[in-house]
Amino acid sequence: MWPAEERGCIREDLVNATLRGTVRYPHLFIGGEWVAPEGGGMLDSIDPATGRPWASVAYGGRRDIDKAVAAARAALDGPWGRMPGHERAALLYRLADIYQKRAPELTLLEARDSGRALRETRGDIGAHANWYRWFASLADKIWGRTIPMDDSVHIYTSRLPVGVVGAITPWNAPMLTTSWKLGPALATGCTVVLKPAEQTPVTALELAKMIEEAGFPPGVVNVVPGYGKDGAGEHLVAHPDVDKIAFTGEGATAKAILKTGADTLKRFSFELGGKAPHIIFGDADVEQALNAATSSAWAVCGQSCALGSRVLVERPVYDRVVEVFAERAAKVRVGMPLDEATHMGPQSSDEQLRKTLSYVDLGQAEGAQLVTGGRRITSGALADGYFVQPTVFAGVSNQMRIAREEIFGPVASLIPFDGEEEAVAIANDTAYGLTAGLWSRDLGRAHRVAAKIRAGIVWVNTYRYIRWTTPYGGFKASGWGRENGVEALDSYLETRTTVVSTTGQFPDAYAN
């Protein structure tokens, strides 16, 4: 299952328990200690490939969040708050090294917990240590600046941690999105209460063990799985001693978070949904464009906000693209996540499966042509899981709901267009603005179109190129702020301006 050079790093007990479905985590990680939940209990994590529990995990409630926030505040006011950047960097580098050694186990755990195919989680989690190393490299480079005015004053700015951060992560890529929040928070000197999605809590608790092993002071990172609404998540958002919420998820939840957290005027950063346009012009290298478009249509079983679910195709090559999409869909090996041969695993939950199938019905009712797929797989070993066929719709109008609303399933909508102007108009005719892609051999056109698309990242003659150095985030309803890159630090920092008189003189306003 793993290369020979990795086998010596693997905890066989954890691997065996994962394969048997007997993983148990009875404690939360709060203040550097493993404690039983006071306001929660135990919840089952459901394997979406079987529909049955595979792990039992502690979850917290209001009292546990109170304890975690208090621990985070104490760490911020204590040794962590006094720790210089280079020492924070050393701890982050140590965490990265531990994470890299534990990546094979995390790969297996996330595949079991989320249903992602092992070949996907291996490539994903195997790169996460790079994010922690990137943010470690920035921890001692958080500089202010000097502001020239005149020789009577010396003015400078300082960048300070925003404080206690509540990090709320999603179920589709739990460990990746955690690194995007934990890395900049720790680099800037913040402390964190991490609330993973209730559907995928296991890897967050394994990460807590790594935090402990790396030697972070108690309370710097606290991990409290739990429910969102009326649970740990909602209380974390409302807590008056939490200074910032970093959230990845859907827009409706973000709106609820804003309302809940408004009374405390805390900061928010949101990475939300997307309905990305993936534009194929007639002059593109169509074979390469199809490789990218079909890959991004069904990766993560369609459960990623960055996927090009709206495939905009110029009419001269439209029929060919439809034909190849159908051919590629037939080649996608849908199967058990731990099978090395599997290309695509199940939907993450029965709820998500039902949502995807409802959009298939909706697309047909709206008049789109169902080219292939669109059905639940109910035969053989996959019968009890949440598996759905890769799905292709042709003849889609951008006004159809399957083109306007985020499905979060393996559903590609192929939309024809005529010319550059119409392509841009369709691409921007959406509530979202997270990612976009375009394919053209005309370099001038590529630059023109990329400059007109309202999205946080635009890929030209490639797709889903995301790295620790590249800022990631959305326009419009796709979010607030940026993750990754140097820009990721901004929302975790406050700026203080200090003005020092060089003369010590101040006039008497009442002298005359």
Side-chain angles (χ1 to χ4, degrees), residues 474-494:
F475 291 14
K476 300 186 283 188
S478 287
W480 293 357
R482 293 294 181 269
E483 296 184 300
N484 304 336
V486 176
E487 289 81 355
L489 303 181
D490 291 341
S491 67
Y492 294 88
L493 290 167
E494 296 280 15

Side-chain angles (χ1 to χ4, degrees), residues 187-271:
T188 54
C190 295
T191 55
V192 178
V193 178
L194 172 62
K195 206 292 286 183
E198 59 265 30
Q199 298 91 340
T200 52
V202 169
T203 47
L205 292 166
E206 282 297 323
L207 179 61
K209 295 179 183 179
M210 300 179 208
I211 294 288
E212 186 178 32
E213 183 180 345
F216 284 83
V220 172
V221 178
N222 308 272
V223 181
V224 183
Y227 294 99
K229 184 173 175 58
D230 301 322
E234 189 172 278
H235 190 54
L236 181 63
V237 170
H239 203 291
D241 216 20
V242 172
D243 301 292
K244 169 185 164 61
I245 295 293
F247 170 76
T248 297
E250 63 177 342
T253 305
K255 292 175 184 178
I257 286 172
L258 281 173
K259 293 174 182 176
T260 301
D263 288 343
T264 55
L265 289 177
K266 53 173 56 73
R267 283 197 189 185
F268 299 95
S269 58
F270 295 130
E271 197 270 279

Side-chain angles (χ1 to χ4, degrees), residues 131-166:
W131 267 271
Y132 290 109
R133 292 191 179 105
W134 163 250
F135 289 114
S137 76
L138 300 177
D140 60 353
K141 301 173 184 65
I142 300 171
W143 303 316
R145 60 194 178 97
T146 299
I147 302 174
M149 182 54 65
D150 58 52
D151 59 6
S152 69
V153 288
H154 175 60
I155 307 172
Y156 62 92
T157 64
S158 306
R159 309 298 303 280
L160 309 171
V162 71
V164 176
V165 174

Side-chain angles (χ1 to χ4, degrees), residues 76 121 249 255 277 451:
L76 188 69
T121 59
K255 292 175 184 178

